[in-house]
Amino acid sequence: MLLTILVGSVLLLLCLILVFKINALFALIITSIAAGFLQGMSGTAVVKSIEDGIGSTLGQLALILAMGAVLGKLLANGGAAQQITTYMVRFFGVKNLQWAMVITGLLVGIPLFYNVGFVVLVPFVFMICASTGLSVLYVAIPLLTALSVTHGYLPPHPGATAIAVLYKADIGKTMMYGGLICVPAIVIGGPLFSRTLKQIKPDPPKGLFNLKFYPENELPGFGVSLITSLLPVFLIGLATVTQVVLEKGSAMGSFIAFIGHPVIALLISTFFAIYTMGIRRGQKMKDLMDQAEEALKSITMLLFIIGAAGAFKQVLVDGGIGDYISKLALALPFSPLLLVWFIAAAIRVALGSATVAGLTTAGIAIPIMQSTHVSPELMVLATGAGSLMFSHLNDPGFWMFKEYFGLSIRDTIRSWSLMETIVSVVGLIGVLILNMFI
């Protein structure tokens, strides 16, 4: 019955958006209410789940998205994005820009939360495409594939690290094995798959990426452009490293952890960009704040849709669908690696959140670990791969990709959802191959 409710909820959501042309925000809320009642929840419980889902989702994302949008606007308007992309085009050549995006996604994705990396780097994608004439998704998918894989597979990313701790896996070995697995996953899901998407034409929100081109002699220096754009990466990465190096609870460690928090790191980087991309170049503070307001207005609907997607996810969690699927999966006669991948994939498809899927699976699979001799490091990677499986309508990341790139649901599934499926399946295959030698 719960599986029927899940399938019916997704079909209802699709019907409201595609047939009745209802805005995704209202469609998600209506579907959340319907799913809650069908699961036997009371009216009060349904409303509370919706409030909790919106609050928890936006509580984590609202300031990150806001600061990221403003930072991206300042980098684009100040010429930093144009300067960096100009160097990238010259160094790699237009033919190799996909690989430049992969390298960027890997370097940025390891220390950064996926959503932070997304909002910081997406403006560069539009700048590159505007200057080279390349298809947007041809450039974007390799970048986002690398970001997604590091989010799911590789410590020291918080999600993968938490799973490794639960499995008592060696972090160093997990990173080494994950590095081997992520290469084919990124290559197939990124540069190769993106070449099939050239016919899809994104239409980003008006005002989000108003690209202004400067004469080369008016551009900021490459060094200051790179420092300004990578400052949040440096601050968050520094905090990650010092957690291991410095004594826990030390004054220096606490300070670095504070400035390395994604929200604070983006806040610091935004004000640094206000100086380097604005005041230093002779702009007035009022004009810079007008740019910030314009950037914030452009993501208003995006924030509400992501919050509503969080509400849908929470109703499914509170109604018991996640627990039901987990118990169902445990009864299947699979090898431990295939089993945890299947559990994580099923929870991901049901609930939408890769982090929830990964951590829930780890909690379920700990008893399995105690009765098998399978590598805990491979269990981490199999769980992480499963947690990326087929992102769709109940995943806030799906809506972020859809709204930022201005795609239809069909094109979002054709691009984003299939890319996530590819990296999930290729990751599983890599784990099973490594298991033959470890």
Side-chain angles (χ1 to χ4, degrees), residues 281-311:
R281 291 168 56 80
Q283 295 190 48
K284 297 179 180 179
M285 181 62 76
K286 182 181 183 305
D287 294 333
L288 295 169
M289 291 298 102
D290 288 342
Q291 294 178 36
E293 289 180 15
E294 186 179 351
L296 293 174
K297 288 177 183 177
S298 67
I299 64 166
T300 301
M301 182 55 69
L302 171 66
L303 284 172
F304 278 110
I305 290 174
I306 291 173

Side-chain angles (χ1 to χ4, degrees), residues 178-239:
L180 295 174
I181 292 171
C182 79
V183 172
I186 292 173
V187 170
I188 296 172
L192 296 183
F193 174 63
S194 67
R195 295 174 188 178
T196 69
L197 306 175
K198 293 181 181 179
Q199 74 279 12
I200 298 177
K201 305 298 182 184
D203 183 23
K206 299 295 185 291
L208 184 57
F209 302 112
N210 287 333
L211 300 178
K212 178 181 179 181
F213 289 92
Y214 292 92
E216 191 165 344
N217 62 344
E218 294 182 12
L219 290 172
F222 176 72
V224 71
S225 299
L226 192 65
I227 291 171
T228 304
S229 62
L230 293 183
L231 183 58
V233 180
F234 171 77
L235 292 175
I236 296 172
L238 181 64

Side-chain angles (χ1 to χ4, degrees), residues 22-251:
I22 294 177
N23 181 277
L25 167 63
F26 300 110
L28 283 163
I29 297 299
I30 292 169
T31 303
S32 301
I33 294 171
F37 283 134
L38 288 173
Q39 291 176 97
M41 299 171 67
S42 67
T44 302
V46 170
V47 173
K48 186 177 187 305
S49 285
I50 291 174
E51 291 176 344
D52 290 346
I54 293 174
S56 62
T57 301
L58 291 184
Q60 298 172 15
L61 289 178
L63 285 175
I64 289 175
L65 287 173
M67 295 299 171
V70 174
L71 178 60
K73 189 81 168 178
L74 292 168
L75 289 171
N77 287 359
Q82 183 182 342
Q83 180 67 285
I84 291 172
T85 53
T86 299
Y87 266 77
M88 289 178 67
V89 171
R90 288 176 181 171
F91 185 79
F92 287 96
V94 174
K95 291 183 178 180
N96 297 317
L97 272 178
Q98 285 191 313
W99 303 109
M101 293 293 98
V102 166
I103 294 171
T104 302
L106 278 172
L107 294 176
V108 171
I110 289 176
L112 246 61
F113 288 95
Y114 176 85
N115 297 314
V116 181
F118 184 100
V119 298
V120 168
L121 293 176
V122 163
F124 295 139
V125 170
F126 284 89
M127 181 65 75
I128 288 172
C129 294
S131 61
T132 63
L134 293 173
S135 165
V136 171
L137 294 186
Y138 178 81
V139 176
I141 289 294
L143 170 69
L144 298 179
T145 302
L147 281 177
S148 183
V149 167
T150 54
H151 172 76
Y153 291 18
L154 296 177
H157 191 279
T161 303
I163 295 171
V165 170
L166 288 173
Y167 283 145
K168 297 182 180 179
D170 182 274
I171 300 294
K173 288 183 179 179
T174 304
M175 293 180 67
M176 182 175 65
Y177 298 157
L180 295 174
I181 292 171
C182 79
V183 172
I186 292 173
V187 170
I188 296 172
L192 296 183
F193 174 63
S194 67
R195 295 174 188 178
T196 69
L197 306 175
K198 293 181 181 179
Q199 74 279 12
I200 298 177
K201 305 298 182 184
D203 183 23
K206 299 295 185 291
L208 184 57
F209 302 112
N210 287 333
L211 300 178
K212 178 181 179 181
F213 289 92
Y214 292 92
E216 191 165 344
N217 62 344
E218 294 182 12
L219 290 172
F222 176 72
V224 71
S225 299
L226 192 65
I227 291 171
T228 304
S229 62
L230 293 183
L231 183 58
V233 180
F234 171 77
L235 292 175
I236 296 172
L238 181 64
T240 301
V241 172
T242 54
Q243 286 179 2
V244 178
V245 176
L246 296 181
E247 182 180 350
K248 188 175 182 180
S250 67

Side-chain angles (χ1 to χ4, degrees), residues 316-394:
L316 295 178
V317 171
D318 293 344
I321 286 180
D323 290 339
Y324 173 76
I325 291 176
S326 300
K327 292 175 182 177
L328 187 67
L330 281 175
L332 298 175
F334 293 154
S335 70
L337 295 172
L338 191 58
L339 180 61
V340 295
W341 180 89
F342 180 83
I343 295 173
I347 295 174
R348 158 72 156 182
V349 172
L351 304 182
S353 170
T355 303
V356 170
L359 294 176
T360 301
T361 300
I364 294 169
I366 287 174
I368 301 174
M369 289 285 299
Q370 297 171 351
S371 59
T372 67
H373 299 290
V374 68
S375 162
E377 291 77 28
L378 293 184
M379 288 285 279
V380 174
L381 298 172
T383 302
S387 73
L388 298 177
M389 183 65 177
F390 193 70
S391 163
H392 64 99
L393 296 142
N394 61 357

